[in-house]
Amino acid sequence: MRTLIRGGTVVNSGGGFAADVLVDGETIAAVAAPGLFTEADRVIDAAGKYVLPGGIDAHTHMEMPFGGTSSSDTFGTGTTAAAWGGTTTIIDFAVQAKGTSLLATMDKWHEKAGGHCAVDYSFHMIVSDVNDTTLKEMESCVAAGVNSFKMFMAYPGVFYATDGEILRAMQKARETGSMIMMHAENGIAIDQLVAQALADGRTDPVHHGLTRPPELEGEATHRAIKLAAVTGAPLYIVHLSSRHALEAVTAARDTGQNVFAETCPQYLFLSIEDMAREGFEGAKFVCSPPLRPADHQLDLWRGLRTNDLSVVSTDHCPFCFKDQKVLGLGDFSKIPNGMPGVEHRMDLLHQGVVRGEISLSRWVEISSTTPARMFGLYPRKGVIAPGSDADIVVYDPAATQVLSAATHHMNVDYSAYEGMELVGKVDAVLSRGALVIADGAFHGHEGHGKFLERDLCQYLR
């Protein structure tokens, strides 16, 4: 089928321009002067709207086991919600349990996701058991198109890796050209603060944030950067939440070190005050790293403008309030860590454009183009150009909406942004040429999404 998107403003990371986009099958056939093409099997009127490359959410956790339960979105429900919000590719995390192999873990996640995703997907690997076998299997993962490996300086006894283990994994990443991703919080110190708070009877959700201070995120980020410098490995800091961590990243990048970082919408729009809401409501906002005081948001927006923060992902990891978050009632340390967000990332970031925090092209860059380059998908993804996959979002910048659990499509019983009024809304979405969102309805299906084998990070070539 040939689809013509006419009359819109195409916005790539290099800027916006008036053009029509012709799609032939699963790819973009042409980006042409308005009116050059007049015939197609399907015509989408994009007058007054933006035509964007589909969003790439490089950090999601579908069906993730955590704290005796699992995140509530399946690969089917989560990728359907992503499509509603203009995200046409996710990169999820396959979680290695201690005592298991990376390759068996990757097979397990293929079984979970295969035939169920509504949009395209790929994997990162979580490395929780560093040994000779795991290090050798990293080579096989890279050969299979999975070339990014997440490690944790937090969660002792679960995912935590020692500095020595991190060093060994970084050496293997340097050897293979792959990327180490780091959850940078000082988990050993945090566990002491948590134990002290609980012993003192401080059990409310807000103490999740108070026992994970930004100084311990900054310290761990600095330490991860120095380990990367010693090994020569590239480093990607995930879900950066504080100015303390951003300062460490900025200093490293100013020396030319290959250090990259992402932040998430919750750190740009929510704060620790949300965790302090009356009763147990604050549990809805428990994630790690935690929400920070609101003044950190100014630094994060500045980091997005200077490119010291290169990507905005969601860390989408939803747990229902009534059945799952309540596991931590009376003990904040037992609240499942994670928040929903895969559906709203593009819309929330558009508020940064509306408010003058970022430019229109920067919006596209941090939500699509840079993730594509960072994780070896460009130019197949992340750009409106001939030959690229026809992952296209028609976006109405003048439409308004109010976020609510009553209307979202994520499989979770609350919205972290309940009642927030936004300017801008997805009008239509194509995933590899298939119209999956149009006229306020979902037209896609589970199983449409394909697994993407990725090349190495394109900023390191």
Side-chain angles (χ1 to χ4, degrees):
M1 175 176 281
R2 287 162 62 91
T3 300
L4 178 62
I5 304 172
R6 68 183 181 191
T9 300
V10 171
V11 185
N12 281 322
S13 62
F17 53 95
D20 292 347
V21 179
L22 182 66
V23 173
D24 191 353
E26 294 193 348
T27 60
I28 297 170
V31 180
L36 183 63
F37 297 103
T38 58
E39 295 183 2
D41 301 299
R42 175 172 56 209
V43 177
I44 298 174
D45 183 4
K49 300 179 177 68
Y50 302 140
V51 181
L52 317 170
I56 300 172
D57 191 343
H59 190 149
T60 68
H61 296 285
M62 309 300 178
E63 304 180 38
M64 177 185 171
F66 187 91
T69 186
S70 293
S71 56
S72 55
D73 259 321
T74 66
F75 279 94
T77 62
T79 54
T80 297
W84 274 100
T87 289
T88 55
T89 300
I90 67 162
I91 310 181
D92 204 79
F93 287 85
V95 183
Q96 180 197 29
K98 288 190 181 296
T100 65
S101 79
L102 281 184
L103 294 180
T105 298
M106 184 162 59
D107 289 343
K108 183 176 180 180
W109 253 255
H110 274 299
E111 290 174 6
K112 286 186 177 190
H116 298 292
C117 291
V119 298
D120 289 353
Y121 64 99
S122 190
F123 298 138
H124 311 288
M125 300 302 300
I126 286 180
V127 178
S128 63
D129 196 356
V130 178
N131 53 51
D132 290 343
T133 299
T134 293
L135 295 173
K136 186 65 177 177
E137 286 185 328
M138 287 174 68
E139 300 174 10
S140 300
C141 290
V142 172
V146 178
N147 47 48
S148 37
F149 302 91
K150 182 181 178 183
M151 304 189 75
F152 288 79
M153 303 170 106
Y155 304 127
V158 184
F159 297 131
Y160 175 80
T162 67
D163 287 355
E165 290 168 338
I166 291 169
L167 185 82
R168 293 184 69 195
M170 285 182 169
Q171 289 171 332
K172 178 59 69 172
R174 176 69 178 88
E175 176 187 324
T176 58
S178 54
M179 179 76 75
I180 292 295
M181 309 171 77
M182 191 63 68
H183 179 135
E185 290 183 287
N186 186 324
I188 300 297
I190 286 169
D191 273 11
Q192 290 299 313
L193 294 175
V194 169
Q196 291 167 5
L198 293 175
D200 291 344
R202 292 177 278 127
T203 62
D204 291 340
V206 69
H207 293 289
H208 171 80
L210 297 175
T211 57
R212 307 179 86 94
E215 290 83 359
L216 294 184
E217 185 187 7
E219 183 277 331
T221 302
H222 175 81
R223 183 158 35 101
I225 288 168
K226 293 306 179 184
L227 290 170
V230 168
T231 61
L235 177 66
Y236 182 95
I237 302 294
V238 297
H239 47 45
L240 187 149
S241 71
S242 68
R243 73 168 61 92
H244 302 68
L246 179 58
E247 287 168 356
V249 169
T250 301
R253 288 175 61 81
D254 285 348
T255 69
Q257 188 176 346
N258 283 319
V259 175
F260 311 94
E262 68 177 19
T263 191
C264 307
Q266 55 266 34
Y267 304 124
L268 297 169
F269 291 94
L270 303 173
S271 77
I272 195 170
E273 293 301 318
D274 291 295
M275 270 193 295
R277 292 190 186 188
E278 188 176 354
F280 195 61
E281 285 292 302
K284 295 176 178 178
F285 304 92
V286 166
C287 60
S288 294
L291 303 178
R292 303 300 184 187
D295 59 303
H296 285 253
Q297 295 171 8
L298 296 175
D299 298 272
L300 299 183
W301 282 112
R302 186 181 303 113
L304 287 172
R305 289 192 293 272
T306 62
N307 201 39
D308 291 310
L309 290 171
S310 303
V311 172
V312 178
S313 306
T314 60
D315 191 16
H316 175 77
C317 192
F319 297 97
C320 288
F321 181 64
K322 291 181 180 178
D323 298 325
Q324 296 178 296
K325 290 285 189 177
V326 294
L327 294 172
L329 189 62
D331 182 349
F332 68 84
S333 70
K334 291 183 170 58
I335 299 170
N337 285 204
M339 291 171 56
V342 72
E343 186 170 349
H344 301 314
R345 181 182 64 116
M346 298 291 286
D347 290 325
L348 287 166
L349 288 178
H350 183 251
Q351 306 319 295
V353 178
V354 172
R355 288 166 21 182
E357 298 282 4
I358 54 174
S359 68
L360 188 61
S361 58
R362 183 63 176 157
W363 173 41
V364 171
E365 192 169 25
I366 61 179
S367 64
S368 181
T369 309
T370 297
R373 291 183 185 275
M374 189 73 67
F375 297 109
L377 292 171
Y378 189 90
R380 181 177 177 183
K381 310 287 189 184
V383 64
I384 302 290
S388 296
D389 281 357
D391 292 354
I392 301 172
V393 178
V394 178
Y395 196 86
D396 186 345
T400 59
Q401 59 175 312
V402 178
L403 302 186
S404 175
T407 53
H408 74 205
H409 302 88
M410 297 174 288
N411 186 37
V412 64
D413 61 358
Y414 75 94
S415 172
Y417 307 98
E418 186 70 39
M420 185 178 289
E421 298 181 4
L422 303 184
V423 177
K425 188 176 182 181
V426 168
D427 184 71
V429 178
L430 279 73
S431 170
R432 295 195 334 274
L435 188 66
V436 295
I437 301 291
D439 302 320
F442 178 67
H443 300 279
H445 61 88
E446 294 186 13
H448 164 76
K450 292 182 178 179
F451 175 75
L452 303 171
E453 293 187 10
R454 297 183 286 110
D455 294 329
L456 299 177
C457 175
Q458 291 161 298
Y459 292 109
L460 303 177
R461 295 179 179 177

